[in-house]
């Protein structure tokens, strides 16, 4: 590959991009103005404001006791997977790929939180048969499923609302533990992501690395409870649904399903602590894993703003 | 072509772009704030502020008498071409293409302006043998060649300087008449273009139409005075210079040197009057012709700001 770089325009594009852009995520000293934010949107580059949300009531107040008190036994939607792999590629024995969505259950919040916390009390070898739960509905679940938490977070991110001239399209709540990983994917949203409890570890690829990510149409499937075997989840292939283009390369397993361009990828790796505010630009690939806070779980809140589809960039 | 559009990703990109973007240049009611400007930079879309510069001293003061008075017989650089085609493609008899630069002369400003104005006194058929002069040096010629005019125009465009966090890279002065046309090309600058006298007629193609513009490496050449024949210009091919990628399609002659994509092009056409301020985003193709003001010439001033090469857009 190395020797082809000069003659291959796609390889050139990727290596030029890396030469012109740092291999780190910019750290801003304070929450940006709308204009400062817009410069990052224009350049489609991420940044983090360390501690940018630490004055939010959520960052001061949220812990297991408080969440139990204000949410109680309200029903919330929970993603269940055998391995913490919600919305992820699963390679079948014969080599074919499936994009498997989680088994979604409605659970009283208290039970769900208890289950997530209890994972930490099991020895590693006993966890294998215990499937993984993650609240990650991503459809604006904060106002709908967690209305009692709304008072603790701002309804929008003022610099983003002013710059993009619109309120957020969705405000999402994420609660899980170290066992869940969100597979590499991209969203057509400008994303303001705020860590509240624990840590999130992002692996990031810029859109120019599309040729590294090996997007392929992958058949949809879903985890469903195995009939007769309590607690076991099996894959149910959706024969009707259209195969959807999905990144099939994983920067953490760089030799599996690599393209000729994957070795040119330079993943950015960055960890967010409680109180950090992160801007993830539209169309950036991201893979997300987590570390528990002091009580055995991690919480984040994010704001999705519609990206501008006109203009030149999205091409 | 029409029927291929669905299956051809490049054709799709162009038609999608047109569906998502209007086919006109936005008109802003007033000079934008830095944030408003940055939104246009982010979307890589042009705008015009009608009358946005009409309070500039240049717009009130500049006319032939004033320019003669303050510039006098200072030497200025003048582009000389047989047909008003500075920096343009010339097709040779045998079909090969040359990119021909003008014959550049140093002239006392008063003589140059007199020549430009006199063109209007000739009947059309007598103009054929009279070559065309245009002050269009484009290397920051305003401060270097026309320092006595600096007091009449702002040193920068404050909203652009604030948004882009840098002063302009070049401030250019353009003086010519209806006989000069600037051929289709693109620049890697964010361009604020202000019409001072007369009109300019821009034909614009967005960068996504690169496949329409038929860029090809074209051999460089230059007009030089024919030896022995006073006033005659002939083409001198530069055998040494590298052939430079150049758009060879002309939206005003759509059937000549068209690609399979050229018919998908939707050129934007817009005319600027004295006092109008125009934002031409980086990498947009533009072709520019002009109409004389009341004294037989047209004047414009523009500010080139370095575009950001990092981030995602320029790819
Ligand atoms: O926090 C996660 O697990 C994933 C976050 C994510 O994908 C997003 O914010 O778009
Ligand atoms: O005014 C002209 O003739 C051409 C202007 C131009 O090409 C520019 O401003 O980049």
């Amino acid at each position: 590959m190395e020797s082809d770089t000069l003659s291959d325009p796609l390889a050139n594009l990727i290596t030029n991009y890396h030469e012109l852009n740092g291999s780190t995520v910019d750290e801003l000293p304070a929450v940006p103005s709308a204009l400062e934010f817009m410069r990052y949107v224009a350049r489609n580059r991420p940044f983090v404001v360390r501690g940018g949300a630490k004055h939010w009531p959520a960052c001061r107040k949220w812990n297991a006791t408080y969440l139990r008190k204000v949410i109680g036994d309200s029903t919330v939607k929970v993603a269940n997977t055998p391995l913490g792999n919600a919305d992820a590629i699963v390679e079948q024995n014969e080599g074919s790929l499936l994009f498997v969505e989680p088994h979604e259950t409605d659970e009283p919040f208290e039970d769900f939180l208890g289950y997530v916390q209890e994972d930490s009390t099991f020895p590693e070898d006993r966890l294998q048969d215990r499937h993984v739960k993650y609240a990650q509905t991503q459809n604006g679940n904060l106002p709908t499923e967690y209305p009692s938490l709304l008072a603790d977070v701002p309804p929008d991110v003022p610099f983003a609302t002013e710059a993009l001239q619109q309120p957020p399209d969705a405000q999402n709540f994420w609660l899980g533990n170290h066992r869940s990983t969100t597979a590499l994917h991209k969203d057509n949203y400008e994303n303001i992501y705020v860590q509240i409890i624990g840590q999130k570890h992002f692996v990031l690829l810029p859109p120019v690395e599309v040729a590294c990510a090996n997007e392929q149409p992958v058949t949809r499937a879903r985890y469903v409870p195995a009939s007769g075997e309590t607690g076991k989840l099996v894959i149910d292939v959706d024969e009707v649904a259209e195969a959807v283009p999905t990144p099939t390369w994983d920067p953490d397993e760089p030799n599996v399903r690599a393209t000729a361009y994957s070795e040119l990828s330079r993943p950015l790796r960055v960890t967010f602590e409680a109180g950090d505010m992160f801007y993830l630009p539209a169309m950036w690939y991201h893979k997300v894993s987590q570390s528990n806070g002091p009580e055995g779980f991690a919480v984040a809140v994010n704001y999705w703003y519609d990206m501008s589809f006109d203009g030149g960039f999205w091409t």
Side-chain angles (χ1 to χ4, degrees), chain A residues 134 174 182 185 187 191 193 200 202 286 288 290 302 304:
Chain A
Y134 190 17
W174 310 78
T182 298
H185 70 287
D187 303 303
N191 189 346
Y193 193 98
K200 285 273 167 102
F202 277 71
H286 49 293
V288 188
Q290 41 197 309
N302 79 331
W304 272 342

Side-chain angles (χ1 to χ4, degrees), chain A residues 164-237:
Chain A
L164 304 172
Q165 296 180 285
Q166 53 183 341
D169 188 64
Q171 191 179 8
N172 297 309
F173 177 83
W174 310 78
L175 191 159
N177 66 21
H178 66 287
R179 299 183 68 204
S180 282
T181 296
T182 298
L184 193 73
H185 70 287
K186 65 182 180 211
D187 303 303
N188 51 15
Y189 290 105
E190 309 291 358
N191 189 346
I192 306 288
Y193 193 98
V194 175
Q195 193 63 22
I196 312 279
I197 295 173
Q199 297 177 323
K200 285 273 167 102
H201 314 284
F202 277 71
V203 185
L204 303 168
L205 313 185
V208 72
E209 290 189 11
V210 56
C212 311
N214 199 7
E215 290 200 29
Q216 292 179 18
V218 176
T219 303
R220 311 294 277 197
R222 183 177 287 280
Y223 285 113
V224 294
S227 57
E229 263 181 286
T230 314
K232 190 163 189 234
L233 294 169
V234 293
I235 290 175
D236 181 39
V237 176

Side-chain angles (χ1 to χ4, degrees), chain A residues 71-80 103-116 131-134 145-146:
Chain A
I71 313 176
D73 60 3
S74 294
T75 302
V76 297
K77 298 217 173 291
V78 176
N80 297 267
H103 172 51
E104 197 175 89
T105 50
D106 288 327
E107 305 192 15
F109 177 77
E110 291 172 333
D111 297 357
F112 159 64
L113 179 58
Y115 185 103
V116 169
H131 65 250
V132 180
K133 290 181 186 287
Y134 190 17
E145 297 177 39
Y146 301 89

Side-chain angles (χ1 to χ4, degrees), chain A residues 126-147:
Chain A
R126 289 272 316 282
L127 280 174
Q128 276 161 22
D129 299 328
R130 186 175 156 87
H131 65 250
V132 180
K133 290 181 186 287
Y134 190 17
Q136 50 97 265
T137 331
Q138 307 162 55
N139 57 358
N141 65 344
L142 183 55
T144 56
E145 297 177 39
Y146 301 89

